[in-house]
């Protein structure tokens, strides 16, 4: 009868179900990561433990890693310091692993959970502080924020063109063999100019790329 048929179909579909794919993230320019985040801080992780964060729809406990951190500086976020960062327990489910012990400093961008807490995933901007370029560090204070109304579009292959005046083409992927940490990511910010248009602005250690618009905003 109908119930038996439905049960048989359910078993058949479950038998053909594929395991969940590993976490994957689209490439994003550091400025985009900054603008998309609720919180951007420089911090150290001093300890980590697994905690329960409620239950899923089936009543199973949701596990997360809780990092206790020492905030060094906040570039974007609430008035109060961030004390804890939460993430999924493994990279397969988009968790971001941090070294603990308080020796390694990170730039961390993520979503606010209020009350001195934030959440990060594998797709958020998390970099060791020492790996950032001087331009990236300087841009965290004001320059990235100046371009949050601009649109950064990834160019997959040359030639590519802007579709509007408030757009900057991110060509690292096309020009540097699929490298998302290229010259524009390291040395440029997309800034909104006085006429409302957007253009790449280069800071310290300027790359030698003739095709980029390097006019000051």
């Amino acid at each position: 009868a109908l119930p038996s048929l439905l049960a048989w179909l359910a078993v058949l579909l479950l038998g053909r179900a594929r395991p969940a794919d590993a976490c994957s993230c689209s490439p994003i320019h550091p400025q985009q990561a900054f603008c998309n985040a609720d919180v951007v801080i420089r911090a150290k992780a001093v300890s980590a433990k697994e905690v329960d964060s409620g239950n899923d729809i089936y009543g199973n406990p949701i596990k997360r890693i809780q990092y206790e951190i020492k905030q060094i500086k906040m570039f974007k976020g609430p008035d109060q310091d961030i004390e804890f960062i939460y993430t999924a327990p493994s990279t397969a489910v988009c968790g971001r692993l941090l070294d603990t012990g308080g020796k390694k400093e990170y730039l961390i961008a993520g979503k606010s959970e209020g009350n001195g807490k934030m959440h990060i995933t594998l797709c958020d901007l998390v970099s060791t502080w020492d790996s950032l370029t001087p331009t990236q560090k300087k841009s965290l204070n004001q320059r990235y924020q100046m371009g949050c109304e601009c649109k950064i579009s990834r160019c997959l292959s040359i030639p590519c063109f802007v579709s509007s005046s408030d757009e900057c083409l991110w060509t690292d992927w096309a020009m540097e063999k699929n490298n998302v940490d290229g010259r524009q990511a390291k040395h440029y910010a997309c800034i909104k100019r006085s006429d409302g248009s957007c253009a790449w602005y280069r800071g310290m250690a300027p790359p030698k790329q003739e095709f980029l618009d390097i006019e000051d905003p």
Side-chain angles (χ1 to χ4, degrees):
L2 182 58
S4 299
L5 178 61
L6 292 176
W8 180 82
L9 288 173
V11 170
L12 181 63
L13 291 172
L14 287 172
R16 294 183 177 180
R18 296 173 55 189
D21 293 332
C23 181
S24 60
C25 309
S26 298
I28 188 170
H29 189 278
Q31 179 177 328
Q32 289 174 290
F34 176 94
C35 293
N36 292 344
D38 297 327
V39 183
V40 182
I41 58 173
R42 178 182 177 183
K44 298 178 180 180
V46 297
S47 67
K49 66 178 181 180
E50 189 174 81
V51 297
D52 289 337
S53 296
N55 298 318
D56 62 20
I57 58 174
Y58 303 106
N60 300 313
I62 299 172
K63 301 290 185 180
R64 294 200 296 177
I65 302 298
Q66 174 187 280
Y67 290 105
E68 182 182 356
I69 68 159
K70 178 182 179 181
Q71 179 179 305
I72 300 170
K73 184 174 182 178
M74 178 175 287
F75 299 100
K76 181 181 180 182
D79 294 334
Q80 67 182 120
D81 287 354
I82 300 298
E83 299 178 4
F84 297 102
I85 293 178
Y86 294 87
T87 192
S90 73
T91 55
V93 286
C94 288
R96 170 70 74 163
L97 305 182
L98 303 177
D99 287 343
T100 57
K103 294 183 179 180
K104 186 174 291 187
E105 295 184 10
Y106 291 96
L107 173 69
I108 304 172
K111 301 301 181 184
S112 172
E113 292 192 353
N115 298 320
K117 301 174 183 179
M118 65 182 290
H119 180 84
I120 59 173
T121 72
L122 197 63
C123 299
D124 290 314
L125 175 61
V126 178
S127 301
T128 56
W129 185 256
D130 290 341
S131 70
L132 302 177
T133 65
T135 298
Q136 288 173 326
K137 292 176 181 178
K138 184 175 181 179
S139 296
L140 291 167
N141 289 310
Q142 183 181 12
R143 196 172 294 156
Y144 283 161
Q145 186 65 50
M146 291 171 60
C148 282
E149 294 182 11
C150 298
K151 178 182 178 182
I152 298 177
S153 299
R154 181 161 54 103
C155 175
L156 297 177
S157 61
I158 300 296
C160 49
F161 308 94
V162 295
S163 58
S164 61
S165 62
D166 64 347
E167 184 178 0
C168 292
L169 281 180
W170 182 25
T171 57
D172 286 348
W173 185 268
M175 298 295 291
E176 302 188 31
K177 298 180 179 179
N178 301 346
N179 180 18
V180 297
D181 192 28
R183 294 176 182 270
Q184 284 177 309
K186 290 179 177 178
H187 304 293
Y188 282 77
C190 180
I191 303 299
K192 189 170 185 178
R193 299 186 290 191
S194 57
D195 63 357
S197 65
C198 295
W200 288 114
Y201 174 85
R202 69 181 182 187
M204 294 175 282
K208 297 178 181 179
Q209 294 285 80
E210 297 299 329
F211 64 88
L212 294 174
D213 182 350
I214 57 174
E215 182 179 353
D216 288 356

